[in-house]
């Protein structure tokens, strides 16, 4: 029977299901297709529903061809198959679906038979990869070189070399970035390999949902058909026994099939509290790579890279200042950079150490500790690369005398010491010498903007 109208009625539906059942066999039918329900047929689109997202994905992946062939026997105008998730007792009711716009249900997903692909796959069970996170824009330094090398190895290797790769480190140190980078690299190299990235939280959420809809077999199948599984922030499952159980089994099944697993956490496997011992030991049996807190050099490198990406000119002194003063994590540093750029664009000012100090006041902890003249001398000597003893010596060459004057000036403006007190700390100099130094530096600041910046930078480095 071939009809060419927009007709596909309940009787067609029953016959269609019978044909499907005959084709795929009783067991598979019972497991996968029995719960399919007919919703509507309109403008070349046959809409069906299932109670869960897992079932929907499974059917789309495994049975869309068969559904296509059989449904077209009833109506050759069927071009698009849409499978809507309709939870049991949920909003979309049989017979009223014609009035429900597809977009109203976020679980809707359309499989276009003509192109053999999802039309909208944003609700896939993994999470999308962030295009900003690739290996090229990951800055490597001592603290992250092992993690970086291991991630690259996993992404480039054709065979599984260590399983799992376990990356751990504090917040904002690049774990997620590296995982996405692995994902991109593998996708580019071997588009056929199924790479799934998701947070441990999402893993748990999906598992709980599957339990609720008694659909755990489809849940399991989905994970087990993956080539590379990456689970981020696995510390989330601590104390959640059912999820750990399921995770453990999924993990084992994948390892047995020689599929690559990448895990991240904020602790090493053995330090994960609230995680079952057997899972801990499983997690630690591949390569465990830690990412250490950033160093000044790495922070500076990252900031330079981020500023370059953004295409904004930021004076090196400002970048140095940020790398010195924002040490907690890279995410915060990036946030600071964004704020600075936004401020400069909005207000139309150039970015200087001073504006940075102003705009980022809350990020840069002001420390009330009393600063000593000795500390100032030390910082200034380091900055100008002279010996500390030259702060007290009687040498008069410009290369030494100028830094000494700078230190005197800073001692005057940062501390509450009197001129004679300052003089004494500089090899017993007279208070007029200090006064002269302060005046000289103030003049130079006015004459030379670079010098001005330099002094401001020093001031802020000391004043922390
Ligand atoms: P984590 O997952 O460890 O908390 P993320 O990977 O989310 O940290 O990193 C936080 C931000 O810092 C991201 O924007 C990331 O691009 C950036 N970042 C961290 N480390 C680096 C690095 N070495 N090079 C470039 N960007 C980095
Ligand atoms: Mg992360």
């Amino acid at each position: 029977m071939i009809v060419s109208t927009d007709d596909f009625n309940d009787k067609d539906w029953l016959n269609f299901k019978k044909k499907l059942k005959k084709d795929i066999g009783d067991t598979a039918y019972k497991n996968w297709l029995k719960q399919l329900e007919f919703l509507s047929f309109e403008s070349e689109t046959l809409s069906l529903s299932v109670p869960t997202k897992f079932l929907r994905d499974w059917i789309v992946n495994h049975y869309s061809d068969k559904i296509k062939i059989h449904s077209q026997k009833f109506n050759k105008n069927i071009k698009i198959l849409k499978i809507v998730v309709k939870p049991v007792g949920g909003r979309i009711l049989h017979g009223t679906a014609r009035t429900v716009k597809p977009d109203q249900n976020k679980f809707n997903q359309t499989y276009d038979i003509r192109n053999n692909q999802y039309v909208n796959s944003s609700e896939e069970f993994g999470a999308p990869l962030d295009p900003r996170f690739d290996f090229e824009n990951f800055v490597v330094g001592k603290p992250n070189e092992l993690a970086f090398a291991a991630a690259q190895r996993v992404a480039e290797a054709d065979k599984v070399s260590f399983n799992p790769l376990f990356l751990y480190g504090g917040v904002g140190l690049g774990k997620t970035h590296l995982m996405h980078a692995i994902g991109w690299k593998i996708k580019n190299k071997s588009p056929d390999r199924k790479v799934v990235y998701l947070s441990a939280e999402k893993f748990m959420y999906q598992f709980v949902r599957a339990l609720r809809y008694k659909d755990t077999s489809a849940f399991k199948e989905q994970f087990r058909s993956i080539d590379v599984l990456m689970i981020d922030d696995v510390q989330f499952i601590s104390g959640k026994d059912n999820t750990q159980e399921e995770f453990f089994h999924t993990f084992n099944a994948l390892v047995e099939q020689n599929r690559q697993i990448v895990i991240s956490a904020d602790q090493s496997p053995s330090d994960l509290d609230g995680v079952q011992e057997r899972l801990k030991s499983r997690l630690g049996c591949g390569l465990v790579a830690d990412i250490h807190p950033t160093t000044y050099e790495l922070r500076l490198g990252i900031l330079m890279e981020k500023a370059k990406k953004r295409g904004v000119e930021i004076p090196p002194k400002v970048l140095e200042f940020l790398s010195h003063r924002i040490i907690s994590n890279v995410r915060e540093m990036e946030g600071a950079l964004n704020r600075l750029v936004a401020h400069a664009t909005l207000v139309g000012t150039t970015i200087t150490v001073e504006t940075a100090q102003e705009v980022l006041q809350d990020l840069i902890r002001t420390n009330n500790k009393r600063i000593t003249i000795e500390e100032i001398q030390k910082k200034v000597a380091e900055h100008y690369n002279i010996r500390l003893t030259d702060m007290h010596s009687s040498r008069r060459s410009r290369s030494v005398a100028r830094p000494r004057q700078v230190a005197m000036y800073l001692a005057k403006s940062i501390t509450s010491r009197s001129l004679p007190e300052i003089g004494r700390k500089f090899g017993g100099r007279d208070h007029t010498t200090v006064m002269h130094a302060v005046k000289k530096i103030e003049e130079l600041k006015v004459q030379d903007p670079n010098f001005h910046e330099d002094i401001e930078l020093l001031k802020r480095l000391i004043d922390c």
Side-chain angles (χ1 to χ4, degrees):
M1 168 178 58
I2 292 183
V3 274
S4 53
T5 61
D6 258 9
D7 191 25
F8 190 92
N9 55 35
D10 287 350
K11 202 168 125 235
D12 293 335
W13 174 245
L14 290 177
N15 287 330
F16 160 79
K17 277 189 115 178
K18 264 191 209 153
K19 290 251 187 281
L20 264 182
K21 188 168 167 182
K22 207 166 152 208
D23 190 349
I24 71 163
D26 282 359
T27 315
Y29 178 82
K30 210 170 119 222
N31 282 344
W32 304 113
L33 300 179
K34 190 162 176 265
Q35 303 195 64
L36 261 184
E37 280 186 48
F38 170 61
L39 282 180
S40 65
F41 175 52
E42 266 175 349
S43 0
E44 304 189 329
T45 304
L46 176 66
S47 300
L48 310 176
S49 80
V50 285
T52 69
K53 186 165 171 289
F54 306 113
L55 209 48
R56 192 267 320 276
D57 289 345
W58 184 264
I59 293 172
V60 167
N61 282 334
H62 296 86
Y63 296 107
S64 50
D65 280 347
K66 297 221 186 286
I67 294 178
K68 169 187 159 189
I69 292 164
H70 289 295
S71 63
Q72 285 176 341
K73 280 184 193 151
F74 291 91
N75 192 320
K76 69 178 173 53
N77 286 340
I78 293 175
K79 298 285 192 314
I80 295 176
L81 172 65
K82 187 160 84 188
I83 303 186
V84 171
V85 179
K86 187 191 79 171
V88 178
R91 268 189 326 125
I92 302 177
L93 297 172
H94 185 82
T96 61
R98 279 164 204 273
T99 58
V100 177
K101 288 207 189 98
D103 292 347
Q104 286 176 339
N105 186 326
K106 70 174 182 155
F107 296 131
N108 275 0
Q109 194 162 33
T110 304
Y111 192 76
D112 188 335
I113 294 172
R114 288 165 296 192
N115 301 323
N116 241 14
Q117 63 186 24
Y118 282 111
V119 175
N120 166 19
S121 61
S122 60
E123 270 285 323
E124 261 295 333
F125 72 108
L129 297 176
D130 189 323
R132 293 170 308 160
F133 295 167
D134 57 26
F135 282 125
E136 283 67 38
N137 56 35
F138 189 85
V139 181
V140 189
K142 266 257 165 289
N144 59 24
E145 63 187 2
L146 173 65
F148 178 79
Q152 268 200 322
R153 167 78 80 81
V154 163
E156 276 160 11
D158 294 320
K159 280 199 290 197
V160 173
S161 36
F162 25 71
N163 220 359
L165 168 61
F166 190 101
L167 301 171
Y168 79 94
V171 176
L173 296 183
K175 302 182 294 292
T176 300
H177 188 134
L178 281 178
M179 290 176 115
H180 286 228
I182 294 174
W184 285 121
K185 185 103 192 185
I186 295 177
K187 270 174 185 270
N188 287 336
K189 199 165 156 249
S190 343
D192 295 339
R193 288 178 82 191
K194 188 165 178 193
V195 179
V196 169
Y197 162 88
L198 80 168
S199 63
E201 186 179 1
K202 188 159 183 183
F203 180 91
M204 189 189 88
Y205 170 70
Q206 304 213 346
F207 175 58
V208 169
R209 200 160 64 164
L211 281 179
R212 188 173 315 138
Y213 295 122
K214 302 192 173 31
D215 197 10
T216 49
S217 55
F219 171 81
K220 287 178 181 144
E221 286 310 324
Q222 290 223 44
F223 279 96
R224 287 169 197 180
S225 63
I226 292 167
D227 292 305
V228 182
L229 175 65
M230 300 194 275
I231 298 200
D232 208 350
D233 291 320
V234 87
Q235 72 274 3
F236 183 83
I237 62 172
S238 104
K240 302 182 172 93
D241 285 349
N242 284 344
T243 309
Q244 284 185 27
E245 191 74 17
E246 185 47 40
F247 181 64
F248 185 72
H249 292 305
T250 306
F251 187 100
N252 285 341
L254 288 170
V255 170
E256 265 158 36
Q257 291 169 46
N258 222 14
R259 310 293 165 85
Q260 180 69 53
I261 298 177
V262 183
I263 305 281
S264 90
D266 62 354
Q267 307 269 357
S268 74
S270 54
D271 288 336
L272 284 172
D273 287 335
V275 172
Q276 297 158 7
E277 284 304 320
R278 58 174 190 168
L279 183 54
K280 280 193 203 175
S281 76
R282 215 51 172 109
L283 289 173
C285 68
L287 179 77
V288 177
D290 56 346
I291 307 185
H292 297 276
T294 53
T295 54
Y296 169 75
E297 288 74 23
L298 180 59
R299 289 197 293 277
L300 188 59
I302 293 173
L303 274 178
M304 284 160 76
E305 161 75 25
K306 303 272 173 188
K308 200 175 89 199
K309 270 263 138 55
R310 232 168 242 114
V312 284
E313 235 0 274
I314 297 183
K317 282 210 174 64
V318 174
L319 297 182
E320 285 168 25
F321 171 66
L322 293 180
S323 325
H324 263 301
R325 298 297 299 269
I326 303 181
I327 56 175
S328 50
N329 73 55
V330 180
R331 190 176 298 136
E332 202 160 86
M333 212 167 61
E334 247 187 305
L337 188 69
N338 288 341
R339 232 155 90 182
L340 214 52
V341 173
H343 178 87
T345 321
L346 288 174
V347 183
T349 54
T350 50
I351 301 172
T352 62
V353 172
E354 256 168 327
T355 51
Q357 166 89 5
E358 251 169 58
V359 174
L360 305 172
Q361 248 172 25
D362 56 325
L363 279 181
I364 298 164
R365 284 160 292 121
T366 35
N367 201 328
N368 292 331
K369 113 177 134 72
R370 288 278 282 272
I371 292 151
T372 62
I373 293 178
E374 285 78 9
E375 280 166 333
I376 295 176
Q377 292 173 327
K378 192 163 163 271
K379 279 267 164 58
V380 175
E382 272 168 15
H383 184 76
Y384 290 105
N385 210 11
I386 63 170
R387 286 174 309 182
L388 186 58
T389 50
D390 281 333
M391 287 289 162
H392 318 278
S393 76
S394 53
R395 284 179 64 198
R396 282 161 175 254
S397 76
R398 170 79 67 83
S399 62
V400 180
R402 185 73 80 229
R404 197 188 293 130
Q405 288 179 323
V406 168
M408 288 182 194
Y409 164 83
L410 290 172
K412 181 70 196 121
S413 46
I414 296 174
T415 73
S416 52
R417 304 278 162 206
S418 66
L419 294 176
E421 274 176 311
I422 296 172
R424 273 201 293 282
K425 297 272 183 184
F426 283 84
R429 284 179 161 80
D430 192 70
H431 78 277
T432 52
T433 312
V434 183
M435 207 155 67
H436 173 72
V438 173
K439 255 171 101 184
K440 183 74 200 164
I441 300 302
E442 274 169 352
E443 271 169 34
L444 286 174
K445 273 176 69 181
V446 175
Q447 288 162 12
D448 180 356
N450 272 338
F451 185 74
H452 177 91
E453 270 284 283
D454 210 34
I455 298 296
E456 286 305 315
L457 174 66
L458 257 172
K459 206 174 185 171
R460 294 199 157 98
L461 293 182
I462 293 164
D463 190 13
C464 59

